[in-house]
Amino acid sequence: MPKAKPVYQCGLDAAVDVVGGKWKPLILWALHERTHRFGELRRELVAVSEKVLIQQLRELEADGIVHREVYREVPPRVEYSLTELGEALNRALEPLGAWGETYMQEIIERKTKECAV
């Protein structure tokens, strides 16, 4: 059965659908620096499980954000990189990352207060 065509209210809705999830923005940020093998991504994103990382990479690949290159070697080698669309998305996320850097300490303090209550 084919997947239902998504209905978006606005561009932000479409963008959030693509980058939604805890790990996708961090995967994008890691890949913007350079091409990574799966193991490298796994080591860089220490708190993500292997299952979730695989799932998130597959979704990003299906959305045209990430390119997966399989090298027919023994042992097999797989590399992940950003597509042109992925690079554009990463540029769009840069201001959000800058906002997070600016307000990170305040966010931590507020979250810490919430946990104490």
Side-chain angles (χ1 to χ4, degrees), residues 68-86:
R68 180 177 185 262
E69 183 74 32
V70 179
Y71 294 90
R72 304 288 178 204
E73 304 173 345
V74 176
R77 179 171 49 119
V78 178
E79 292 182 343
Y80 295 90
S81 60
L82 291 179
T83 63
E84 191 175 312
L85 190 61

Side-chain angles (χ1 to χ4, degrees), residues 8-72:
Y8 298 119
Q9 302 297 316
C10 63
L12 185 59
D13 191 12
V16 169
D17 183 41
V18 173
V19 299
K22 181 175 182 176
W23 298 106
K24 286 181 183 177
L26 298 176
I27 292 168
L28 290 171
W29 200 249
L31 290 177
H32 109 281
E33 295 172 341
R34 62 180 177 82
T35 297
H36 281 67
R37 293 178 70 174
F38 180 82
E40 293 173 321
L41 282 172
R42 180 76 176 87
R43 285 188 294 277
E44 192 165 327
L45 306 170
V46 291
V48 66
S49 72
E50 188 170 318
K51 177 185 172 186
V52 170
L53 181 57
I54 290 168
Q55 177 187 16
Q56 301 271 285
L57 284 166
R58 284 183 181 157
E59 290 174 11
L60 288 167
E61 184 182 8
D63 287 333
I65 304 299
V66 167
H67 173 71
R68 180 177 185 262
E69 183 74 32
V70 179
Y71 294 90
R72 304 288 178 204

Side-chain angles (χ1 to χ4, degrees), residues 7 14 20 30 41 53 73 106 109 112:
V7 177
L41 282 172
L53 181 57
E73 304 173 345
E106 184 176 334
E109 290 169 8
T112 304

